[in-house]
Amino acid sequence: MSDVLANARDAIARGSKSFALASRLFDGPTRDRAMLLYAWCRHTDDVIDGQVLGEGRNDDRRPPAERLAEVHWETERALAGNPTPGTTYEALALVVQQTGMPARYPRDLIQGFRIDMEARPFLTFDDTLTYCYHVAGCVGVMMAIVMGVKPDKRAVLERACDLGMSFQLNNIARDVVEDAMNGRRYIPDDWLASVRLEPDSYVLERNRRQLSRLVARLVFKAEDFEESARFGTSALGNRAAWAVLAAARIYGGIGRKVRGLEEEGLAQRVSTTKAEKARAVALALGDALVRKQRWPMPGPPRDGLWTMPE
């Protein structure tokens, strides 16, 4: 396990500074499992996109369908307890073995890759939310299980899913122009029509005012999921809750910054500074100390929020 874990630690250190920071708040065993899960998620995403740690291009020139088939079958081998040794699929197998994670959640993530690869149309916001579940909501569920939530505690897992949904909606808001340049659009047709934008021209500079309104709408939706997710933290241990609430503040802060910049936020890739991250971690400690009083489970009904399949 030592080599697999060392590689996972390296992947998170180089691939996601925000996740790396939040993971430091976990206790040792939880942090190790989180890193193993992250390594598998990062690797599979890179294989599908032909990237290295989410950036640039790698040397893999295989057709997308062939790369997806590899990810699918290697993941199935890991879920069956027979992973290819020394790979991130072995990392996934270790997480499944240690936590009893149901196979449906890793499979749901693979389905998200399939949605991207097939360039499925996003006609309504429900299509967008379904995609968000498959690329991030299910990851929130897997992370909750890594943190010790039992797989049959659906009420808590729904709140964990909400946090992943929030993260992805903020990502879409931040990356809307960059995604369009890569041939991807996650803002649905009906939203574009509501501000009289067309799918083939919505990111042009002359349309940035209307587009910024839709981006703000995405961030408001993300905040609804973020607030719901906080109620799940009362079911977590102190350090896990601190990490989750810190991540919520960090990723939510990105979305709020994008919204505040309006049209200017579409012209650059918005991020948070080290000082902003540190402040988020400090504020999250206070959140964690009062979470059971402020956000007790089961919490208010999740009326109006997209809910993951049974």
Side-chain angles (χ1 to χ4, degrees), residues 83-105:
T84 301
T87 67
T88 58
Y89 299 100
E90 185 177 3
L92 174 64
L94 287 168
V95 172
V96 170
Q97 179 185 32
Q98 292 172 7
T99 66
M101 181 184 296
R104 62 165 290 191
Y105 299 118

Side-chain angles (χ1 to χ4, degrees), residues 108-109 111-113 116 130-139 164 168:
D108 281 346
L109 181 61
Q111 178 65 11
F113 298 149
D116 260 336
T130 298
Y131 171 76
C132 287
Y133 167 72
H134 280 288
V135 298
C138 65
V139 176
Q168 188 60 28

